[in-house]
PDB file of all heavy atoms in Angstrom:
ATOM      1  N   ARG Z   8       1.155  12.712  13.551  1.00 60.00           N
ATOM      2  CA  ARG Z   8       2.591  12.935  13.424  1.00 60.00           C
ATOM      3  C   ARG Z   8       2.896  13.606  12.096  1.00 60.00           C
ATOM      4  O   ARG Z   8       2.357  13.226  11.069  1.00 60.00           O
ATOM      5  CB  ARG Z   8       3.333  11.595  13.484  1.00 60.00           C
ATOM      6  CG  ARG Z   8       3.591  11.155  14.886  1.00 60.00           C
ATOM      7  CD  ARG Z   8       4.405   9.917  14.857  1.00 60.00           C
ATOM      8  NE  ARG Z   8       3.432   8.833  14.875  1.00 60.00           N
ATOM      9  CZ  ARG Z   8       3.715   7.573  14.839  1.00 60.00           C
ATOM     10  NH1 ARG Z   8       4.938   7.175  14.729  1.00 60.00           N
ATOM     11  NH2 ARG Z   8       2.782   6.660  14.880  1.00 60.00           N
ATOM     12  N   ALA Z  23       5.555   7.813  -8.148  1.00 90.00           N
ATOM     13  CA  ALA Z  23       5.894   8.121  -9.542  1.00 90.00           C
ATOM     14  C   ALA Z  23       6.506   6.899 -10.227  1.00 90.00           C
ATOM     15  O   ALA Z  23       6.189   6.608 -11.390  1.00 90.00           O
ATOM     16  CB  ALA Z  23       6.846   9.313  -9.604  1.00 90.00           C
ATOM     17  N   PHE Z  25       5.965   3.771  -9.407  1.00 92.00           N
ATOM     18  CA  PHE Z  25       4.890   2.796  -9.567  1.00 92.00           C
ATOM     19  C   PHE Z  25       4.025   3.162 -10.770  1.00 92.00           C
ATOM     20  O   PHE Z  25       3.674   2.302 -11.586  1.00 92.00           O
ATOM     21  CB  PHE Z  25       4.041   2.727  -8.293  1.00 92.00           C
ATOM     22  CG  PHE Z  25       3.057   1.606  -8.307  1.00 92.00           C
ATOM     23  CD1 PHE Z  25       3.446   0.313  -7.986  1.00 92.00           C
ATOM     24  CD2 PHE Z  25       1.736   1.830  -8.650  1.00 92.00           C
ATOM     25  CE1 PHE Z  25       2.544  -0.726  -8.010  1.00 92.00           C
ATOM     26  CE2 PHE Z  25       0.820   0.795  -8.668  1.00 92.00           C
ATOM     27  CZ  PHE Z  25       1.226  -0.485  -8.343  1.00 92.00           C
ATOM     28  N   PHE Z  36      -5.385   2.167 -15.286  1.00 94.00           N
ATOM     29  CA  PHE Z  36      -5.382   2.426 -13.847  1.00 94.00           C
ATOM     30  C   PHE Z  36      -5.956   3.810 -13.574  1.00 94.00           C
ATOM     31  O   PHE Z  36      -6.047   4.645 -14.466  1.00 94.00           O
ATOM     32  CB  PHE Z  36      -3.966   2.327 -13.262  1.00 94.00           C
ATOM     33  CG  PHE Z  36      -3.030   3.397 -13.743  1.00 94.00           C
ATOM     34  CD1 PHE Z  36      -2.930   4.613 -13.071  1.00 94.00           C
ATOM     35  CD2 PHE Z  36      -2.254   3.200 -14.874  1.00 94.00           C
ATOM     36  CE1 PHE Z  36      -2.071   5.597 -13.528  1.00 94.00           C
ATOM     37  CE2 PHE Z  36      -1.393   4.183 -15.331  1.00 94.00           C
ATOM     38  CZ  PHE Z  36      -1.303   5.386 -14.653  1.00 94.00           C
ATOM     39  N   ALA Z  39      -5.912   7.493  -7.225  1.00 87.00           N
ATOM     40  CA  ALA Z  39      -6.927   7.979  -6.287  1.00 87.00           C
ATOM     41  C   ALA Z  39      -6.407   9.252  -5.629  1.00 87.00           C
ATOM     42  O   ALA Z  39      -5.402   9.228  -4.929  1.00 87.00           O
ATOM     43  CB  ALA Z  39      -7.229   6.917  -5.235  1.00 87.00           C
ATOM     44  N   LEU Z  54     -11.635   4.869   7.122  1.00 86.00           N
ATOM     45  CA  LEU Z  54     -11.395   4.333   5.791  1.00 86.00           C
ATOM     46  C   LEU Z  54     -10.218   5.062   5.164  1.00 86.00           C
ATOM     47  O   LEU Z  54     -10.114   6.278   5.272  1.00 86.00           O
ATOM     48  CB  LEU Z  54     -12.659   4.561   4.953  1.00 86.00           C
ATOM     49  CG  LEU Z  54     -12.709   4.052   3.541  1.00 86.00           C
ATOM     50  CD1 LEU Z  54     -12.828   2.533   3.534  1.00 86.00           C
ATOM     51  CD2 LEU Z  54     -13.924   4.650   2.836  1.00 86.00           C
ATOM     52  N   ASP Z  58      -3.704   4.218  -3.196  1.00 94.00           N
ATOM     53  CA  ASP Z  58      -3.193   5.175  -4.175  1.00 94.00           C
ATOM     54  C   ASP Z  58      -3.678   4.885  -5.597  1.00 94.00           C
ATOM     55  O   ASP Z  58      -3.924   5.810  -6.361  1.00 94.00           O
ATOM     56  CB  ASP Z  58      -1.657   5.164  -4.170  1.00 94.00           C
ATOM     57  CG  ASP Z  58      -1.095   5.629  -2.842  1.00 94.00           C
ATOM     58  OD1 ASP Z  58      -1.559   6.660  -2.325  1.00 94.00           O
ATOM     59  OD2 ASP Z  58      -0.204   4.948  -2.307  1.00 94.00           O
ATOM     60  N   ALA Z  75       7.037   3.772   0.564  1.00 91.00           N
ATOM     61  CA  ALA Z  75       8.498   3.849   0.540  1.00 91.00           C
ATOM     62  C   ALA Z  75       8.925   3.536   1.972  1.00 91.00           C
ATOM     63  O   ALA Z  75       8.843   4.385   2.848  1.00 91.00           O
ATOM     64  CB  ALA Z  75       8.965   5.240   0.121  1.00 91.00           C
ATOM     65  N   THR Z 103      -9.643  -6.464  -3.737  1.00 93.00           N
ATOM     66  CA  THR Z 103      -8.434  -6.935  -3.071  1.00 93.00           C
ATOM     67  C   THR Z 103      -7.409  -5.811  -3.076  1.00 93.00           C
ATOM     68  O   THR Z 103      -7.091  -5.246  -4.122  1.00 93.00           O
ATOM     69  CB  THR Z 103      -7.880  -8.186  -3.755  1.00 93.00           C
ATOM     70  OG1 THR Z 103      -8.896  -9.198  -3.728  1.00 93.00           O
ATOM     71  CG2 THR Z 103      -6.633  -8.698  -3.055  1.00 93.00           C
ATOM     72  N   THR Z 104      -6.902  -5.509  -1.894  1.00 95.00           N
ATOM     73  CA  THR Z 104      -6.013  -4.369  -1.705  1.00 95.00           C
ATOM     74  C   THR Z 104      -4.625  -4.856  -1.298  1.00 95.00           C
ATOM     75  O   THR Z 104      -4.502  -5.717  -0.434  1.00 95.00           O
ATOM     76  CB  THR Z 104      -6.584  -3.421  -0.637  1.00 95.00           C
ATOM     77  OG1 THR Z 104      -7.928  -3.076  -1.010  1.00 95.00           O
ATOM     78  CG2 THR Z 104      -5.758  -2.168  -0.501  1.00 95.00           C
ATOM     79  N   PRO Z 114      15.321   0.749  -6.422  1.00 82.00           N
ATOM     80  CA  PRO Z 114      13.977   1.124  -6.848  1.00 82.00           C
ATOM     81  C   PRO Z 114      13.352   0.187  -7.884  1.00 82.00           C
ATOM     82  O   PRO Z 114      12.223   0.404  -8.284  1.00 82.00           O
ATOM     83  CB  PRO Z 114      14.166   2.534  -7.425  1.00 82.00           C
ATOM     84  CG  PRO Z 114      15.598   2.618  -7.782  1.00 82.00           C
ATOM     85  CD  PRO Z 114      16.336   1.717  -6.842  1.00 82.00           C
ATOM     86  N   PRO Z 129      -0.188  -9.938  15.419  1.00 92.00           N
ATOM     87  CA  PRO Z 129      -0.174  -9.315  16.748  1.00 92.00           C
ATOM     88  C   PRO Z 129       0.528  -7.951  16.711  1.00 92.00           C
ATOM     89  O   PRO Z 129       1.641  -7.829  16.207  1.00 92.00           O
ATOM     90  CB  PRO Z 129       0.609 -10.313  17.607  1.00 92.00           C
ATOM     91  CG  PRO Z 129       1.401 -11.124  16.642  1.00 92.00           C
ATOM     92  CD  PRO Z 129       0.640 -11.137  15.353  1.00 92.00           C
ATOM     93  N   MET Z 134       7.060   3.640  19.577  1.00 84.00           N
ATOM     94  CA  MET Z 134       7.029   5.098  19.522  1.00 84.00           C
ATOM     95  C   MET Z 134       5.606   5.645  19.650  1.00 84.00           C
ATOM     96  O   MET Z 134       5.203   6.545  18.920  1.00 84.00           O
ATOM     97  CB  MET Z 134       7.699   5.591  18.244  1.00 84.00           C
ATOM     98  CG  MET Z 134       9.175   5.238  18.182  1.00 84.00           C
ATOM     99  SD  MET Z 134       9.977   5.694  16.647  1.00 84.00           S
ATOM    100  CE  MET Z 134       9.788   7.462  16.671  1.00 84.00           C
ATOM    101  N   SER Z 144      10.019 -12.077   3.770  1.00 89.00           N
ATOM    102  CA  SER Z 144       9.690 -13.386   3.195  1.00 89.00           C
ATOM    103  C   SER Z 144       8.188 -13.662   3.186  1.00 89.00           C
ATOM    104  O   SER Z 144       7.731 -14.567   2.488  1.00 89.00           O
ATOM    105  CB  SER Z 144      10.431 -14.503   3.936  1.00 89.00           C
ATOM    106  OG  SER Z 144      10.012 -14.554   5.282  1.00 89.00           O
ATOM    107  N   GLU Z 157       3.234 -10.085 -15.224  1.00 83.00           N
ATOM    108  CA  GLU Z 157       4.068 -11.234 -14.850  1.00 83.00           C
ATOM    109  C   GLU Z 157       4.152 -11.366 -13.334  1.00 83.00           C
ATOM    110  O   GLU Z 157       4.106 -12.474 -12.802  1.00 83.00           O
ATOM    111  CB  GLU Z 157       5.462 -11.103 -15.458  1.00 83.00           C
ATOM    112  CG  GLU Z 157       5.479 -11.301 -16.959  1.00 83.00           C
ATOM    113  CD  GLU Z 157       6.884 -11.203 -17.525  1.00 83.00           C
ATOM    114  OE1 GLU Z 157       7.867 -11.445 -16.785  1.00 83.00           O
ATOM    115  OE2 GLU Z 157       7.004 -10.875 -18.717  1.00 83.00           O
ATOM    116  N   LEU Z 163      -0.348 -15.168  -8.066  1.00 67.00           N
ATOM    117  CA  LEU Z 163      -1.413 -16.174  -8.089  1.00 67.00           C
ATOM    118  C   LEU Z 163      -0.854 -17.584  -7.906  1.00 67.00           C
ATOM    119  O   LEU Z 163      -1.453 -18.417  -7.247  1.00 67.00           O
ATOM    120  CB  LEU Z 163      -2.196 -16.087  -9.399  1.00 67.00           C
ATOM    121  CG  LEU Z 163      -3.026 -14.825  -9.573  1.00 67.00           C
ATOM    122  CD1 LEU Z 163      -3.609 -14.750 -10.969  1.00 67.00           C
ATOM    123  CD2 LEU Z 163      -4.112 -14.739  -8.531  1.00 67.00           C
ATOM    124  N   LEU Z 164       0.318 -17.839  -8.449  1.00 65.00           N
ATOM    125  CA  LEU Z 164       0.930 -19.161  -8.317  1.00 65.00           C
ATOM    126  C   LEU Z 164       1.370 -19.428  -6.895  1.00 65.00           C
ATOM    127  O   LEU Z 164       1.390 -20.590  -6.438  1.00 65.00           O
ATOM    128  CB  LEU Z 164       2.121 -19.307  -9.267  1.00 65.00           C
ATOM    129  CG  LEU Z 164       1.765 -19.328 -10.759  1.00 65.00           C
ATOM    130  CD1 LEU Z 164       3.038 -19.318 -11.585  1.00 65.00           C
ATOM    131  CD2 LEU Z 164       0.899 -20.515 -11.098  1.00 65.00           C
TER     132      LEU Z 164
END
Side-chain angles (χ1 to χ4, degrees):
R8 276 185 268 179
F25 189 81
F36 67 89
L54 182 72
D58 296 313
T103 302
T104 306
M134 296 176 62
S144 63
E157 289 182 25
L163 292 172
L164 292 174

